[in-house]
Amino acid sequence: MTKKALITGITGQDGSYLAELLIEKGYEVHGIVRRSSTFGTERIDHIYKDPHNVDVKLFLHYGDLTDGQSITNLVLNIEPDEIYNLGAQSHVRVSFDQPAYTFQSTGGGALNVLEAARQLNKRKTTKVYQASSSEMFGDVLETPQTELTPFRPQSPYACAKVYAFHQTVNYRESYDMFAINGILFNHESPRRGETFVTRKITRAATRIKLGLQDKLFLGNLEAKRDWGYARDYVEGMWRMMQHDVPEDFVLATGETQTVQRFADIVFEQLELAPADYIEIDPRYFRPAEVNLLLGDPSKANEKLGWSATTSLEELARLMVDNDLEVARQEAVILSSQGA
């Protein structure tokens, strides 16, 4: 019998990789997208267009995490075996500018998904995966961070994620639901949004290489992060959902590097000197900074057989190769316009 999965945030980085993975595993995949006057499905369009995917079962539905009734209606109509809640206002810096909306979509949205799943569980068992974040650890109280490390959030986004985390545990314990948190440390890819620091660096560096840009402006270069590859991490999400019992897991590489180090790797791969192009702009500093995140993935290693397999250098190369091609296409367009 074909399994059904419902993914919120399917048009995002993680959602698109997860959709690919589940389709490869024979799932019928449903995704929730917000209504917009423009299409925002670029990350999953190739799934439809792949000639080898003639039998692909991918269905998109309009909905909004802040609208609890619409989420409940969709869940009850689709009756998914697994729900992956990846949708959120996920940009930490933006959360300081839009704290209420961040809470409504990231925290309240998770509650809406859990409540919808609880309603469905009255007639059919469903599992819920909640996308938790290493940002919840904030001003860390211990290093490395594990599933038992106390949270000390330092942004509206992190606070909303902590709320969603505890609601997931609450529903699991109160209603005997299979509801789990994946506490994922930073994970990047060529599909990362361009406002996130890693993609901002690779986009700018490749544009500089082709003479399309002169400088790259960044904030705190000394912030340390545990960076992995998003494709590896969605495999971990799926493995959590196949586990015998509902438990929370940290996914991380177990290594940490500064923003400066990531930038150095990228510029060196392009044979550029980073010091010639990078400048600090105070506008990109957070009101409350998280200086060090380093995850301990031991539990996932032991219980799920999962580990990060892509090095930071390999990840940077994947992103650089992709963005170099994007920059070349941009250069062609500008040339044709006589710019």
Side-chain angles (χ1 to χ4, degrees):
M1 183 174 175
T2 301
K3 278 188 175 183
K4 289 184 185 180
L6 175 63
I7 304 172
T8 73
I10 194 172
T11 59
Q13 169 189 256
D14 292 5
S16 64
Y17 282 121
L18 180 60
E20 288 177 346
L21 176 70
L22 295 179
I23 287 170
E24 289 172 4
K25 293 183 179 296
Y27 281 66
E28 177 180 308
V29 176
H30 295 257
I32 297 178
V33 296
R34 283 177 296 177
R35 176 71 178 88
S36 173
S37 59
T38 58
F39 291 108
T41 58
E42 297 86 358
R43 293 183 179 97
I44 55 174
D45 284 345
H46 66 282
I47 299 176
Y48 291 108
K49 296 176 182 177
D50 187 343
H52 300 294
N53 286 344
V54 291
D55 297 321
V56 65
K57 295 181 178 179
L58 175 61
F59 306 93
L60 300 182
H61 310 266
Y62 287 127
D64 193 310
L65 283 171
T66 64
D67 182 352
Q69 190 60 57
S70 75
I71 297 300
T72 295
N73 291 344
L74 283 169
V75 168
L76 293 179
N77 287 335
I78 296 167
E79 295 192 336
D81 300 285
E82 298 172 4
I83 303 173
Y84 296 84
N85 183 35
L86 312 183
Q89 190 302 99
S90 60
H91 197 285
V92 176
R93 182 62 189 83
V94 170
S95 76
F96 286 98
D97 300 323
Q98 296 184 310
Y101 174 71
T102 298
F103 175 76
Q104 291 162 6
S105 62
T106 306
L111 179 60
N112 289 336
V113 169
L114 289 163
E115 180 58 22
R118 185 180 75 84
Q119 296 294 334
L120 177 58
N121 277 346
K122 294 176 181 178
R123 66 179 191 235
K124 174 185 175 177
T125 300
T126 188
K127 298 179 177 180
V128 178
Y129 171 88
Q130 168 59 28
S132 290
S133 169
S134 59
E135 287 286 335
M136 299 187 303
F137 296 120
D139 188 7
V140 296
L141 297 175
E142 65 179 16
T143 300
Q145 293 89 54
T146 73
E147 292 81 3
L148 300 177
T149 300
F151 300 137
R152 197 177 179 191
Q154 297 289 293
S155 67
Y157 167 77
C159 289
K161 282 292 188 182
V162 169
Y163 174 87
F165 176 96
H166 287 302
Q167 285 290 11
T168 301
V169 174
N170 178 45
Y171 269 69
R172 179 169 71 217
E173 296 178 350
S174 299
Y175 303 113
D176 194 29
M177 288 173 55
F178 193 109
I180 61 174
N181 289 286
I183 308 173
L184 273 56
F185 280 67
N186 293 65
H187 46 289
E188 319 297 316
S189 76
R191 299 181 192 174
R192 191 60 145 148
E194 294 184 15
T195 59
F196 291 85
V197 68
T198 51
R199 187 78 193 288
K200 181 178 178 180
I201 290 170
T202 58
R203 280 286 284 136
T206 51
R207 295 185 84 250
I208 288 170
K209 180 68 175 180
L210 296 187
L212 300 173
Q213 185 169 329
D214 297 323
K215 294 288 183 180
L216 167 59
F217 296 94
L218 295 171
N220 182 11
L221 294 178
E222 297 309 312
K224 293 182 177 180
R225 295 292 184 268
D226 184 326
W227 276 306
Y229 181 26
R231 192 185 291 276
D232 292 341
Y233 284 54
V234 298
E235 171 74 25
M237 295 178 191
W238 178 78
R239 291 194 185 195
M240 290 180 213
M241 293 284 265
Q242 314 317 308
H243 194 47
D244 292 338
V245 295
E247 296 184 68
D248 305 323
F249 289 90
V250 163
L251 296 188
T253 69
E255 299 180 2
T256 188
Q257 298 286 353
T258 63
V259 173
Q260 178 70 67
R261 177 56 186 153
F262 183 83
D264 289 345
I265 292 171
V266 168
F267 277 83
E268 287 165 7
Q269 289 182 352
L270 291 165
E271 299 181 334
L272 297 171
D276 293 341
Y277 303 101
I278 296 177
E279 294 187 8
I280 303 299
D281 188 333
R283 290 178 300 173
Y284 296 116
F285 284 93
R286 301 180 186 178
E289 185 59 76
V290 174
N291 293 309
L292 169 65
L293 292 174
L294 173 61
D296 179 356
S298 298
K299 182 179 176 182
N301 297 162
E302 295 166 6
K303 291 193 172 186
L304 304 178
W306 178 90
S307 62
T309 61
T310 308
S311 70
L312 189 60
E313 289 75 16
E314 291 173 306
L315 173 59
R317 174 57 66 190
L318 287 169
M319 296 176 69
V320 165
D321 289 347
N322 175 84
D323 284 340
L324 199 53
E325 181 57 31
V326 172
R328 286 182 180 130
Q329 293 174 6
E330 186 179 357
V332 170
I333 293 171
L334 290 173
S335 177
S336 68
Q337 295 173 343

